Amino acid sequence: MTKSDLNTFRAGPDEQGRFGIFGGRFVAETLMPLILELEQAYEAAKEDPAFEAELENLQTHYTGRPSPLYFAERLTEHFGGSKIYFKRDELNHTGSHKINNCLGQILLAMRMGKTRIIAETGAGQHGVAVATVAARFGLPCVVYMGATDIERQKPNVFRMKLLGAEIVPVTSGTGTLKDAMNEALRDWVAHVEDTFYIIGTVAGPHPYPAMVRDFQSVIGIETREQMMAAEGRLPDTLVACIGGGSNAMGLFHPFLDDKDIEIIGVEAGGKGVETGEHAASLTGGEPGVLHGNRTYLLQDEDGQIIDAHSISAGLDYPGIGPEHSWLHETGRVSYVSATDSEALAAFQLCTRLEGIIPALEPSHALSHVGKIAPTHGPDHLIVMNMCGRGDKDVFAVAAHLGTDIEG
Amino acid sequence: MGSRIEERFSETKAAGRAALVTFVTAGDPNMEDSLALIKALPEAGADLIEIGMPFTDPMADGPAIQASSLRALEAGQNMIKTLAMVKNFREGDSHTPIILMGYYNPIYIYGSQRFLDDAKAVGVDGLIIVDLPPEEDQELCVPALAMEMNFIRLATPTTNEARLEKVLTNTSGFVYYVSITGITGTAKPDPDAVSRRVALIKAKTDLPIAVGFGVKTPEQAKAIADSGADGVVVGSALISVMQGHMKRDGKAASTMVPAVTDLVRSLAGAIVN
């Protein structure tokens, strides 16, 4: 399938929860009735103006939406080409785009009468957002987090504890995000009656990829309006980083049918895709089935999942949302990668030139912006999703730069 | 002519007892020791053998089977070796049904049709693929049935009556009733609840029903057999025994096979009575 074959890129998923061959519902039978129930509840909520109104009210007064669209003047000067705008989702309450999805899902959990929340987290941004909404709505919350990630994301672990969440260290497998997701799924199977699983990205069994995308699409919807107000036209290029791909899908989806707009997803290249130590599922992986969906995965020739590597714990996942896999195969979105050291350089550059400390995740996107901006003129408009702030990363960055900030 | 699985359940039914279904992971702790163990199971009383195809991310399994999968993978187990083990077993035993159990991805990567062809050729009788619910039947279930390979489906405590029909539609060989809402080898099944569910499923199908996921002791096995189940599945408990008989170099101690077969014997003995 090529992009010329399609009238729209925004119609998916189909009734089987598929985007082309990707997506689906590859889960154990115990979860299947629950997933069908969730799908029904979500479809009903979408049609309910009261649900929409409550979500919008929380977005405005709790999250602080709309997030600004900011003209990054000094980076624009520095790169000497395209005009660069940041969609400032790092200014949201809790410091990233993750809250957009968590508010939507917890409202759904309440509608479904669920009384217990579980989640997985890698960098801890999603975990913090889940713990936050659980505190706000008074529901007990258990967050599964790889033991390795707990060690490298201590500030977020403490934040979650302050918010009242129980953090369960996951030592099974290799103790990272994929294992945390396995463990959350195991918890869910054992507590199907009362528990709602808030998945943090556009992956997992249908309806999660579509549902999380819908909750994150507020990013792209606002960007359209704000760009029209700022420049009187739509942008030429969109850039966002991709781990599972929720911030990127949120920005991209409302623009998918504007076929003149170039859309670029930036995966984590780790130490370089050629080294094998990376998290670039599309660039360096193959289609497979994990965590309820068919999508591109990092895996060996026997179908065993390979650990991802990235300087950013939030991108450190061996899969990607199924809709991204489909957009990759149809060619509508281009997927590239940026390495750890490129992200680190962009992190420092943005901090010094814009006074914005970005998270390491969008630093990957910014690194790519730095590659393409000089190739265009000032009439070319780029929007990059600044999906998280870097406070959580300062310890890790200090370690990479060889600075001892605790001493 | 029925499949080996159907024949075996007819035999145990005629003998007035439930079948003992044992689960071990292929290649745990290594291919050689694993094959020796599997070959020893029928004589100890295993009526059907489930062989786990190891996967890095066994989402429906508890700690014992997770660890077992990782041990097998570390020792170099893969799909080709698992099929070779079945072939080797079949050369000495043409009666005991072999069921491969696991997750879809290693099969998908091997190639679904190639997998079915090769599995059939080495004498695999049935498949249990945990993450292929009826909604994904076109992936492997329908092609498997077309080749007369049994596709055994899981029914669970969350499978309601309307859904049960959907679950039973493409199921063959037997129905695997998951006795708990949870992962393998964790919670203890409640025989009364199991008995009610087994009766419910029996009202809708003539297929034998095997019950598993939390059965560990001969007493529990007997209680499940008495609940009306046609088969009792034991896995994690066998693997836990194996774990106590492994040496530091990853090889099985000479005591491993006898220790596991002792448990199998006592399980088999319990459900005969």
Side-chain angles (χ1 to χ4, degrees):
Chain A
M1 190 169 10
T2 61
K3 55 177 157 177
S4 57
D5 295 330
L6 289 164
N7 293 322
T8 176
F9 288 91
R10 305 184 65 229
D14 65 16
E15 280 179 14
Q16 274 69 51
R18 300 282 182 101
F19 304 90
I21 66 161
F22 300 105
R25 287 177 284 217
F26 296 89
V27 296
E29 173 61 24
T30 310
L31 291 179
M32 208 49 228
L34 229 78
I35 284 172
L36 295 172
E37 187 195 342
L38 173 62
E39 184 183 354
Q40 279 179 354
Y42 176 55
E43 290 303 319
K46 271 202 291 193
E47 299 304 315
D48 181 354
F51 181 81
E52 198 182 6
E54 190 173 9
L55 183 55
E56 221 172 84
N57 184 47
L58 286 163
Q59 284 172 341
T60 307
H61 301 288
Y62 192 65
T63 307
R65 299 210 74 90
S67 68
L69 183 71
Y70 165 75
F71 173 44
E73 194 173 348
R74 295 198 68 212
L75 276 169
T76 296
E77 272 174 33
H78 176 81
F79 291 128
S82 315
K83 277 181 93 169
I84 299 163
Y85 282 86
F86 290 161
K87 179 60 175 164
R88 303 276 316 264
D89 256 52
E90 101 280 13
L91 293 177
N92 294 339
H93 180 43
T94 74
S96 81
H97 70 289
K98 293 292 186 187
I99 190 83
N100 302 333
N101 166 49
C102 290
L103 281 172
Q105 287 201 45
I106 201 152
L107 290 182
L108 196 56
M110 309 280 283
R111 278 173 76 99
M112 294 176 73
K114 301 295 180 185
T115 54
R116 176 175 176 268
I117 298 295
I118 59 169
E120 84 295 336
T121 196
Q125 289 305 94
H126 175 57
V128 166
V130 172
T132 297
V133 300
R136 167 66 182 75
F137 288 93
L139 294 184
C141 170
V142 177
V143 178
Y144 289 90
M145 188 167 185
T148 314
D149 290 335
I150 286 181
E151 197 48 43
R152 58 179 175 175
Q153 300 288 337
K154 285 179 187 164
N156 272 346
V157 173
F158 187 60
R159 285 168 82 193
M160 288 185 273
K161 286 183 181 164
L162 285 173
L163 289 159
E166 180 194 342
I167 314 301
V168 180
V170 176
T171 52
S172 64
T174 50
T176 56
L177 178 55
K178 80 171 174 75
D179 303 295
M181 197 154 179
N182 289 334
E183 218 48 50
L185 285 163
R186 289 177 186 128
D187 176 309
W188 203 22
V189 170
H191 302 94
V192 282
E193 295 301 327
D194 64 348
T195 297
F196 191 100
Y197 180 13
I198 301 187
I199 292 182
T201 192
V202 286
H206 178 66
Y208 280 100
M211 179 170 73
V212 176
R213 172 199 72 197
D214 293 347
F215 289 139
Q216 292 293 0
S217 288
V218 65
I219 299 170
I221 292 166
E222 287 175 5
T223 300
R224 285 184 82 93
E225 288 172 12
Q226 290 168 324
M227 205 63 185
M228 290 304 289
E231 296 278 352
R233 68 179 183 90
L234 294 178
D236 299 295
T237 300
L238 304 174
V239 182
C241 65
I242 309 229
S246 70
N247 92 82
M249 196 54 72
L251 175 64
F252 297 170
H253 195 259
F255 292 97
L256 288 176
D257 285 342
D258 297 281
K259 295 190 183 170
D260 294 333
I261 298 181
E262 174 190 38
I263 305 181
I264 303 170
V266 185
E267 296 191 288
K271 294 177 180 169
V273 174
E274 69 288 350
T275 67
E277 289 187 60
H278 60 86
S281 318
L282 288 176
T283 318
E286 295 286 334
V289 175
L290 179 71
H291 294 152
N293 59 168
R294 174 162 30 227
T295 192
Y296 274 74
L297 299 172
L298 301 180
Q299 55 184 322
D300 68 15
E301 68 286 351
D302 191 47
Q304 307 297 338
I305 308 305
I306 295 173
D307 274 319
H309 166 84
S310 170
I311 189 173
S312 141
L315 303 181
D316 210 346
Y317 179 66
I320 185 169
E323 194 167 9
H324 283 295
S325 291
W326 178 73
L327 291 167
H328 167 66
E329 292 211 341
T330 56
R332 175 61 189 100
V333 176
S334 307
Y335 293 88
V336 298
S337 65
T339 64
D340 288 351
S341 52
E342 288 172 330
L344 206 51
F347 175 96
Q348 293 169 275
L349 187 69
C350 184
T351 303
R352 292 294 289 271
L353 288 184
E354 293 292 348
I356 295 171
I357 302 179
L360 282 169
E361 290 82 8
S363 298
H364 288 74
L366 183 58
S367 157
H368 192 73
V369 168
K371 292 175 195 168
I372 58 173
T375 67
H376 295 286
D379 56 344
H380 184 266
L381 307 175
I382 296 178
V383 176
M384 188 204 93
N385 196 10
M386 181 59 78
C387 60
R389 66 178 183 223
D391 308 42
K392 70 179 174 66
D393 292 317
V394 293
F395 291 92
V397 169
H400 284 285
L401 297 178
T403 306
D404 182 4
I405 54 175
E406 291 183 85
Chain B
M1 191 63 200
S3 71
R4 260 192 287 257
I5 293 173
E6 287 161 21
E7 280 178 26
R8 180 50 50 96
F9 275 107
S10 307
E11 286 164 22
T12 54
K13 191 175 183 179
R17 64 178 178 92
L20 178 62
V21 186
T22 57
F23 173 95
V24 291
T25 303
D28 174 27
N30 56 66
M31 189 167 157
E32 192 186 338
D33 290 329
S34 178
L35 186 58
L37 174 63
I38 290 168
K39 286 181 171 176
L41 291 172
E43 196 269 326
D47 295 302
L48 295 90
I49 298 176
E50 288 178 12
I51 299 178
M53 298 172 281
F55 182 46
T56 40
D57 294 80
M59 295 172 303
D61 284 301
I65 295 178
Q66 289 172 37
S68 169
S69 287
L70 292 183
R71 277 195 302 271
L73 292 172
E74 270 167 36
Q77 191 68 19
N78 58 30
M79 190 65 84
I80 291 169
K81 290 183 179 176
T82 299
L83 293 169
M85 284 174 65
V86 177
K87 183 166 193 245
N88 190 309
F89 174 88
R90 253 311 151 243
E91 283 162 6
D93 184 328
S94 56
H95 293 292
T96 308
I98 294 283
I99 296 142
L100 292 183
M101 180 165 183
Y103 297 81
Y104 184 40
N105 197 53
I107 294 172
Y108 180 68
I109 295 305
Y110 190 88
S112 293
Q113 193 56 51
R114 175 186 167 215
F115 170 78
L116 290 172
D117 291 341
D118 292 356
K120 185 93 184 168
V122 298
V124 172
D125 302 290
L127 302 173
I128 303 175
I129 311 301
V130 179
D131 52 356
L132 285 179
E135 280 71 9
E136 305 293 352
D137 266 359
Q138 295 305 321
E139 298 283 337
L140 190 69
C141 173
V142 169
L145 295 178
M147 300 179 59
E148 296 184 344
M149 172 84 78
N150 284 149
F151 199 88
I152 295 126
R153 189 96 63 192
L154 305 176
T156 73
T158 61
T159 311
N160 60 30
E161 267 189 76
R163 189 162 170 80
L164 189 54
E165 306 215 353
K166 187 163 192 164
V167 167
L168 293 173
T169 299
N170 279 336
T171 300
S172 66
F174 63 95
V175 179
Y176 188 139
Y177 180 64
V178 175
S179 61
I180 53 168
T181 49
I183 51 179
T184 52
T186 51
K188 205 167 113 181
D190 167 8
D192 292 337
V194 169
S195 174
R196 284 193 297 276
R197 296 292 299 199
V198 167
L200 187 75
I201 300 170
K202 286 208 159 179
K204 295 198 184 275
T205 180
D206 294 331
L207 289 171
I209 298 161
V211 175
F213 259 52
V215 185
K216 289 181 176 165
T217 64
E219 294 71 30
Q220 285 171 352
K222 178 168 168 45
I224 295 295
D226 291 346
S227 74
D230 304 291
V232 181
V233 188
V234 183
S236 299
L238 303 186
I239 286 166
S240 297
V241 168
M242 288 174 67
Q243 277 172 341
H245 295 268
M246 282 181 199
K247 297 187 291 186
R248 281 174 188 272
D249 63 1
K251 296 231 169 28
S254 59
T255 49
M256 187 186 84
V257 172
V260 175
T261 49
D262 277 354
L263 175 57
V264 172
R265 245 176 230 109
S266 60
L267 289 161
I271 61 178
V272 169
N273 297 320

